[in-house]
């Protein structure tokens, strides 16, 4: 008989992972708002949302350090500590990439994205935000699984992981399409370089979310 994960600790490490995932999810909303402000130039709040993301990233870092620092040293875990470390690192990289994307935009405060590319850039942003929102749901299902070892919960978590993998593929398609259009648009070399780097950073958000899903899948494996 398997021992419920929650019975081994005063506080399950998955509670910390859930708390961290919620910070990442909060960050996704501020990220989308910041991007909309920047691209449409209809509000002056881009910097406000950028600093909101930075604040959330600092708070998430504190949660990450707490999770890492409070894993029990002399208690056998049903999952490898190494996998927990790798999981939270990838989840944290999602937030880092969101912050980097906004910071990179801030280096060119005006007219960084040509009108002809705005729609494709919005599509890319939408495609990387959806996997962020799935992270929290995935951790919630995994947390419940490690409390009960219910096969139903394990299947639910694995279904979310499969969805995240599919979403990452869609993000890759958006990234590739935008890169091709950048090379054919009427823009100066500095703008082209800036856009290519921006596209790469933005696309990496979905890459790290998929990597986090892979780490979670490894923890859920029997």
């Amino acid at each position: 008989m398997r021992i419920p994960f929650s019975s081994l600790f005063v506080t399950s490490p998955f509670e910390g992972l859930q708390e961290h995932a919620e910070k990442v999810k909060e960050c996704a909303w501020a990220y989308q708002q910041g991007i909309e402000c920047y691209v449409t130039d209809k509000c002056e709040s881009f910097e406000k949302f950028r600093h909101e993301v930075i604040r959330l990233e600092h708070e998430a870092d504190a949660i990450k350090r707490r999770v890492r620092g409070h894993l029990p040293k002399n208690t056998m875990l049903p999952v490898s500590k190494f996998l927990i470390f790798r999981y939270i690192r990838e989840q944290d990289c999602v937030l880092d990439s969101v912050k980097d994307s906004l910071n990179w935009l801030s280096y060119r405060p005006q007219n960084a994205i040509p009108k002809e590319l705005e729609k494709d850039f919005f599509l890319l942003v939408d495609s990387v935000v959806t996997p962020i929102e799935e992270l929290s749901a995935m951790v919630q299902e995994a947390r419940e699984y490690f409390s009960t070892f219910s096969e139903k919960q394990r299947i639910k978590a694995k279904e979310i992981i499969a969805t995240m993998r599919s979403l990452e593929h869609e993000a890759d398609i958006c990234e590739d399409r935008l890169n091709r259009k950048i090379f054919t648009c009427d823009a100066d070399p500095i703008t082209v370089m800036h856009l290519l780097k921006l596209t790469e950073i933005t696309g990496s958000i979905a890459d790290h979310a998929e990597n986090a899903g892979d780490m979670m899948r490894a923890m859920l494996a029997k």
Side-chain angles (χ1 to χ4, degrees), residues 159-193:
E159 286 174 347
I160 295 173
I161 293 168
T163 299
M164 289 171 60
R165 187 170 294 159
S166 175
L167 291 170
E168 192 279 335
H169 178 65
E170 290 177 20
D172 278 348
I173 293 172
C174 291
E175 184 178 349
D176 180 70
R177 182 170 57 230
L178 182 54
N179 275 331
R180 291 176 186 279
K181 289 189 177 182
I182 290 170
F183 278 113
T184 59
C185 73
D186 183 18
D188 61 86
I190 293 177
T191 298
V192 169
M193 183 275 292

Side-chain angles (χ1 to χ4, degrees), residues 31-96:
Y31 175 61
Q32 274 190 308
Q33 296 299 309
I35 292 291
E36 185 172 347
C37 285
Y38 183 93
V39 175
T40 62
D41 200 25
K42 290 180 180 175
C43 70
E44 298 176 352
S45 300
F46 171 72
E47 282 298 317
K48 183 188 80 173
F49 288 116
R50 188 171 74 86
H51 285 285
E52 175 68 4
V53 167
I54 292 171
R55 181 185 69 79
L56 291 167
E57 193 262 345
H58 284 312
E59 291 180 1
D61 275 347
I63 297 169
K64 178 182 66 178
R65 287 192 294 271
R66 173 156 49 84
V67 171
R68 287 175 170 173
H70 288 79
L71 284 176
K73 294 182 174 61
N74 300 315
T75 305
M76 182 175 292
L77 292 168
V79 295
S80 160
K81 291 180 186 177
F82 176 71
L83 286 177
I84 293 175
F85 285 141
R86 289 192 65 187
Y87 175 82
I88 200 166
R89 184 183 69 183
E90 287 298 334
Q91 189 167 266
D92 200 57
C93 283
V94 172
L95 219 167
D96 287 341

Side-chain angles (χ1 to χ4, degrees), residues 9 11 17-18 119 222:
F9 315 105
T11 302
L17 298 187
Q18 180 81 62
K119 180 182 177 181
K222 290 183 175 179

